[in-house]
């Protein structure tokens, strides 16, 4: 089965909006062919239902996504997407007309559920779509926690593990990313640091 490109990023929105065209994350996106839609998956600790936020331009994608998600869990739809996500999509995929959607997932499910959800979501996703699992909460974690996360990502790559169940206490979004990618080892790892040595951005990607 053909898989869509998937990237997991632990970062703040502010840090992502400061990346340049020569950054590894930007270069990863630049190398993707024929991408015309970006699905951002994020956590929503206060909700137990899924929520899809979309623009007018991404309505067709959102309709198909709702049908897929509804088989797993109740889905709400909101015809509005964050302007910052639209700005980020323009930064990561410049000179392309890109539709943007955001899928909020609950934060309190077991790790295996997120991985299975990612695998179910991957089945039949339309060509031309890239998926970004965006972990804002992880970016606010302690430096020690971020180090553990990066070490676990490196383990995913070096050992080609088939499950994310042991990854940094099973953060929801990396488990979903592993499911989306077909439980394969990531092809790229990202690690950006401030002058003090604290992680500003970390993550991994499959393409």
């Amino acid at each position: 089965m053909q898989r869509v490109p998937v990237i997991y990023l632990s970062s703040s929105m502010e840090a992502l909006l400061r990346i340049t065209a020569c950054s590894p994350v930007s270069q990863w996106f630049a190398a993707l062919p024929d991408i015309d839609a970006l699905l951002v998956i994020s956590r929503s600790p206060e909700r137990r239902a899924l929520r899809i936020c979309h623009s007018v331009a991404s309505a067709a994608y959102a309709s198909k996504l709702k049908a897929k998600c509804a088989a797993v869990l109740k889905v709400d739809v909101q015809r509005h997407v964050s302007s910052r996500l639209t700005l980020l999509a323009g930064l990561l995929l410049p000179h392309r007309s890109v539709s943007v959607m955001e899928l909020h997932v609950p934060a309190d499910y077991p790790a295996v559920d997120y991985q299975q959800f990612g695998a179910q979501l991957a089945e039949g996703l339309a060509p031309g779509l890239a998926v970004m699992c965006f972990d804002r909460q992880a970016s606010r974690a302690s430096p020690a926690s971020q180090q553990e996360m990066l070490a676990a990502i490196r383990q995913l790559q070096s050992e080609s593990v088939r499950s994310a169940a042991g990854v940094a206490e099973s953060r929801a979004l990396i488990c979903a990313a592993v499911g989306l990618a077909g439980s394969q080892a990531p092809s790229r790892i990202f690690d950006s640091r401030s002058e003090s040595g604290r992680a500003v951005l970390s993550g991994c990607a499959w393409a």
Side-chain angles (χ1 to χ4, degrees):
M1 179 175 66
Q2 181 69 33
R3 294 276 171 172
V4 300
V6 179
I7 187 168
Y8 165 83
L9 291 176
S10 169
S11 175
S12 67
M13 178 61 81
E14 290 74 16
L16 273 184
L17 290 175
R18 288 196 298 268
I19 65 174
T20 64
C22 61
S23 74
V25 171
S26 295
Q27 291 176 352
W28 183 83
F29 274 96
L32 299 179
D34 304 322
I35 297 300
D36 57 20
L38 176 66
L39 171 61
V40 179
I41 302 178
S42 59
R43 293 194 300 165
S44 180
E46 73 279 5
R47 297 181 55 82
R48 295 197 62 82
L50 299 170
R51 170 175 282 178
I52 299 169
C53 302
H54 70 90
S55 63
V56 173
S58 59
Y61 275 109
S63 178
K64 294 176 183 177
L65 182 63
K66 180 183 178 181
K68 292 177 66 65
C69 292
V72 181
L73 197 63
K74 179 183 176 182
V75 187
D76 297 329
V77 177
Q78 178 178 318
R79 291 185 179 89
H80 170 75
V81 68
S82 165
S83 59
R84 301 183 85 190
L85 283 182
T86 302
L87 181 62
L88 179 61
L91 178 67
L92 296 174
L93 294 159
H95 315 303
R96 308 191 204 186
S97 179
V98 179
S99 302
V100 183
M101 296 175 291
E102 184 171 20
L103 174 63
H104 297 278
V105 298
D108 57 352
Y109 288 175
V112 65
D113 287 1
Y114 291 109
Q115 189 165 340
Q116 289 175 352
F117 173 69
Q120 291 168 343
L121 195 61
E123 295 178 5
L125 281 180
L129 179 73
V131 181
M132 179 170 72
C133 295
F134 183 25
D135 204 340
R136 296 175 177 89
Q137 283 80 6
S139 72
R140 303 186 186 106
S142 68
S145 177
Q146 285 282 56
Q147 286 291 336
E148 290 171 7
M149 190 65 195
L150 186 59
I153 289 172
R154 293 190 183 283
Q155 183 181 8
L156 274 177
Q157 186 184 52
S158 63
E159 297 184 7
S160 302
V161 297
R162 297 298 177 186
S163 171
V167 175
E169 302 229 336
S170 309
R171 285 206 176 102
L173 293 180
I174 188 130
C175 295
V178 169
L180 279 158
S183 303
Q184 303 171 40
S187 55
R188 292 287 302 273
I189 288 179
F190 308 99
D191 180 20
S192 175
R193 298 184 171 275
S194 65
E195 291 182 2
S196 64
R198 180 165 183 169
V200 173
L201 179 155
S202 59
C204 52
W206 298 258

